[in-house]
Amino acid sequence: MTTTRFHNALPVRQSILALLVAGLIVLTSGAARAEDFGDTLHDIQHRWAEANYKQSGGTQKRAFEALLEDARNLAAANPGRAEALVWQGIVASTYAGVKGPFGAMSLAKEAREVLMQAEALDPSVLDGSVYTSLGTLYFKVPGGLIGFGDKELARDYLEKAVQQNPNGIDPNYFYGEFLLEQKEYEAAKAALLKAKNAPHRPDRPLADEGRQREIDTLLDEVNRKLGKHS
């Protein structure tokens, strides 16, 4: 009788063990996918900085073309991940800025579309980067019959970006750039100084280095404007 009970219990124990192993495999697989996503996203961020700050001309355009394809693939493979959509938008909008008049507007529209999708999913993703990116798009894209640029929307999004990440380098830089164009020189200088003193991002040293050079350039321009208006 004891032997019978043992044999009856054995398949049950094996089934439980199989379920535990299967569960462990699922958890491990999920962790691996999350790690792969993070590694791929970081690679896109690094390659963006390389293309944006270290390359020029045809080499830069080809780098952005390949990078955009990879960003699109990452977003398509990870529906619902707002981070991937934000970076597809960042790459598309930056590529639009270097590509020239032919094809630039279609890239800008792609950027706006995926950034709005990211905003609908999670507006706070990546410390409000979706607000920074949308604000910059509405600021830099022409308006009227040519494009969808809108200075009021640009200000609204950039102010949201600064509220979301008040000490961040990117929201303060782009807000300062916008204020400079609007001839709000004192406010522009304040925003740019906040950007200059923003905490370093250990995982994005090249992007920080390039952005700091851009900040210095705009601060020089603001100070010249303030000197003329003093």
Side-chain angles (χ1 to χ4, degrees), residues 11 57 63 68 71 79 105 112 117 126 149 152 158 163 166 171 173 185 197:
L68 179 56
M105 189 54 64
R112 180 179 61 166
Q117 290 174 18
L126 299 175
E152 289 186 12
L158 290 169
Q163 290 168 8
Y173 167 75
Y185 301 126
N197 294 309

Side-chain angles (χ1 to χ4, degrees), residues 3 5 37 39 51 88 94 108 111 117 121-122 125 141 153 156 170 172 179 182-183 195 206:
T3 304
R5 283 201 300 268
F37 175 83
D39 288 345
Q88 182 184 343
T94 313
Q117 290 174 18
L121 285 170
D122 182 5
V125 67
V141 169
L153 275 177
D156 183 54
D170 288 338
N172 281 294
L179 292 170
Q182 305 309 302
K183 301 181 180 180
L206 181 56

Side-chain angles (χ1 to χ4, degrees), residues 138-149:
Y138 282 114
F139 160 38
K140 292 182 178 286
V141 169
L145 298 176
I146 300 175
F148 56 82

Side-chain angles (χ1 to χ4, degrees), residues 5-86:
R5 283 201 300 268
F6 174 77
H7 283 299
N8 288 340
L10 187 58
V12 175
R13 290 175 184 171
Q14 289 175 335
S15 298
I16 293 172
L17 180 60
L19 287 171
L20 289 172
V21 171
L24 182 61
I25 290 172
V26 169
L27 288 173
T28 304
S29 176
R33 286 196 299 271
E35 185 175 343
D36 289 345
F37 175 83
D39 288 345
T40 303
L41 187 68
H42 184 263
D43 179 65
I44 287 172
Q45 292 171 335
H46 178 73
R47 287 165 58 200
W48 175 87
E50 286 276 356
N52 197 45
Y53 294 117
K54 297 292 187 180
Q55 297 172 344
S56 60
T59 302
Q60 184 182 54
K61 291 178 182 179
R62 287 189 294 273
F64 272 119
E65 183 178 8
L67 185 56
L68 179 56
E69 186 64 24
D70 289 345
R72 287 168 175 164
N73 289 338
L74 181 65
N78 295 273
R81 293 298 298 263
E83 307 99 305
L85 290 168
V86 168

Side-chain angles (χ1 to χ4, degrees), residues 71 76 79 98 115-116 127-129 155 158-159 167 172 193 215 220:
V98 302
L115 287 167
M116 291 178 74
D127 293 323
S129 292
R155 185 186 293 273
L158 290 169
E159 286 179 351
N167 298 314
N172 281 294
L193 287 174
I215 292 166
D220 287 343

Side-chain angles (χ1 to χ4, degrees), residues 110-136:
E110 175 185 343
R112 180 179 61 166
E113 180 180 346
V114 296
L115 287 167
M116 291 178 74
Q117 290 174 18
E119 182 186 18
L121 285 170
D122 182 5
S124 66
V125 67
L126 299 175
D127 293 323
S129 292
V130 66
Y131 291 144
T132 305
S133 301
L134 278 169
T136 305

